[in-house]
Amino acid sequence: MVSIKDVAKLSGVSVTTVSRVMNNRGYIGKETRIKVEDAMKQLDYQPNQIARSLLKNQSYVIGVIVPDLAHPLFSELIHWIESYASEKNYKLLLCNSLQDKEKELNYISMLRQNRVDGIIMCSHTLDVDAYRNVGMPVVSFDRILSPTIPYVAGDNYKGGEIATQHLIDKGCKKILHISGPLEYELLANRRNDAFQLGCIKNGVEWNFIEGAHVKATFEDNWNFIEKEIASRLGEYDGVFCSNDIMAYTLYHYSTKHNINIPEDLKIVGYDYHSFTRMLHVPKLTTIKQPIDAMGQMLCSSLINQIENKDVAASGNTILDVTLVDGETT
């Protein structure tokens, strides 16, 4: 069996240097790194992960809990988290809670039993105490859990401001906001705060309704629109949706019912994930979140906690958002 000593001998460096390359620790010159990596490939050397884990009391595994992996925002976010984790020699253990409290609680227990090094929380159906008592490094996506648990989020308030002001600048006089669920203290709910204040400041009539749920499919959104909004849709000339799938569904519902977009009704979405970027008819007007940067920051924030246990958790990260001006306004 090939050992680390064989790799060191072939690459002409010390065992310590090979270890540093493998663990991405400290400064390693580019040429040295290439020599070591080439030697590992030639020898088909596979590090003994169990031995490394026991030695450092680390599993090099990160748990990630998402509310619905089928949702384009979270599938793309996972892509970027995994990409950064892989660069740092970590693996992911992915949990799909489907916004089920019991399932989410069970996943937390399972991750603790499997001794992951830390957890990225993207699903937030539980009370905050469930997260505070996890007993390992945690970073949250879009929710404030505790002063000691850092979070990463897009600038939700600014996003709400931009979307609302854009509709007002386009001449809208009565605007509806379809928000996400407001029962949880999510940072995404700041979009609704900004929407209300923006309408009040500009003397524009407004209303909001909760309906932009993460789990909702096109069919779910269609049924929601038909049941909760259709009878009053003609009252509004602008709608700000808290996600792009709802915005896209509203566009198709409106056009099917002879409401012209954007002449009769203007629509703004939120996220600009892979689903939205793929669409050509229509090109949605939406708020773009930096999903790649959010994924990287979630992972780097957690790994910083894992590898610097004596250092207090790093600060929160709020990333900028921008308007993508499409064909629905």
Side-chain angles (χ1 to χ4, degrees), residues 194-210:
F195 164 76
Q196 293 185 42
L197 187 58
C199 288
I200 291 169
K201 282 183 176 179
N202 286 274
V204 171
E205 290 187 67
W206 57 275
N207 198 359
F208 74 88
I209 185 169
E210 297 177 49

Side-chain angles (χ1 to χ4, degrees), residues 300-314:
S300 64
S301 176
L302 186 66
I303 291 175
N304 183 54
Q305 291 184 67
I306 293 167
E307 298 185 352
N308 297 280
K309 294 181 173 61
D310 296 330
V311 179
S314 57

Side-chain angles (χ1 to χ4, degrees), residues 101-227:
K101 288 186 177 182
E102 193 65 28
K103 189 185 288 282
E104 187 170 338
L105 194 59
N106 288 337
Y107 273 136
I108 292 174
S109 177
M110 182 270 287
L111 292 173
R112 293 177 69 184
Q113 291 171 27
N114 281 272
R115 298 189 179 278
V116 299
D117 293 331
I119 301 176
I120 297 175
M121 293 288 194
C122 300
S123 179
H124 304 305
T125 59
L126 298 173
D127 294 332
V128 294
D129 284 345
Y131 304 109
R132 290 172 181 155
N133 300 325
V134 167
M136 66 177 70
V138 175
V139 62
S140 168
F141 174 62
D142 245 1
R143 187 180 185 186
I144 300 173
L145 297 176
S146 162
T148 61
I149 298 177
Y151 64 79
V152 175
D155 193 335
N156 288 283
Y157 192 89
K158 181 180 178 181
E161 277 187 323
I162 294 172
T164 305
Q165 192 60 52
H166 180 72
L167 288 169
I168 293 170
D169 290 344
K170 289 289 184 175
C172 294
K173 302 299 182 185
K174 187 171 183 180
I175 307 174
L176 174 68
H177 175 43
I178 305 177
S179 77
L182 301 177
E183 60 182 302
Y184 307 115
E185 283 297 320
L186 303 180
L187 290 166
N189 293 338
R190 302 293 80 78
R191 302 169 196 173
N192 188 36
D193 298 338
F195 164 76
Q196 293 185 42
L197 187 58
C199 288
I200 291 169
K201 282 183 176 179
N202 286 274
V204 171
E205 290 187 67
W206 57 275
N207 198 359
F208 74 88
I209 185 169
E210 297 177 49
H213 298 285
V214 168
K215 265 177 60 176
T217 63
F218 183 92
E219 291 76 17
D220 293 331
N221 286 333
W222 187 281
N223 293 334
F224 170 80
I225 292 168
E226 201 159 51
K227 181 180 178 181

Side-chain angles (χ1 to χ4, degrees), residues 44-114:
D44 192 25
Y45 174 67
Q46 301 296 322
N48 188 328
Q49 188 65 45
I50 295 175
R52 292 174 67 201
S53 298
L54 290 171
L55 180 65
K56 298 197 66 179
N57 195 27
Q58 272 189 248
S59 64
Y60 293 91
V61 176
I62 292 170
V64 185
I65 305 179
V66 297
D68 189 357
L69 190 55
H71 193 285
L73 172 65
F74 291 101
S75 60
E76 188 169 348
L77 189 66
I78 288 296
H79 167 83
W80 292 110
I81 291 173
E82 193 283 330
S83 178
Y84 185 81
S86 181
E87 288 180 12
K88 301 298 181 181
N89 298 313
Y90 284 81
K91 302 291 186 283
L92 300 189
L93 188 53
L94 183 59
C95 306
N96 196 25
S97 76
L98 296 177
Q99 292 186 297
D100 182 308
K101 288 186 177 182
E102 193 65 28
K103 189 185 288 282
E104 187 170 338
L105 194 59
N106 288 337
Y107 273 136
I108 292 174
S109 177
M110 182 270 287
L111 292 173
R112 293 177 69 184
Q113 291 171 27
N114 281 272

Side-chain angles (χ1 to χ4, degrees), residues 7 11 21 30 32-42:
V7 176
S11 55
V21 171
K30 184 178 180 181
T32 300
R33 182 178 294 277
I34 291 172
K35 283 196 298 184
V36 172
E37 290 174 348
D38 285 347
M40 291 173 67
K41 289 177 183 177
Q42 288 181 48

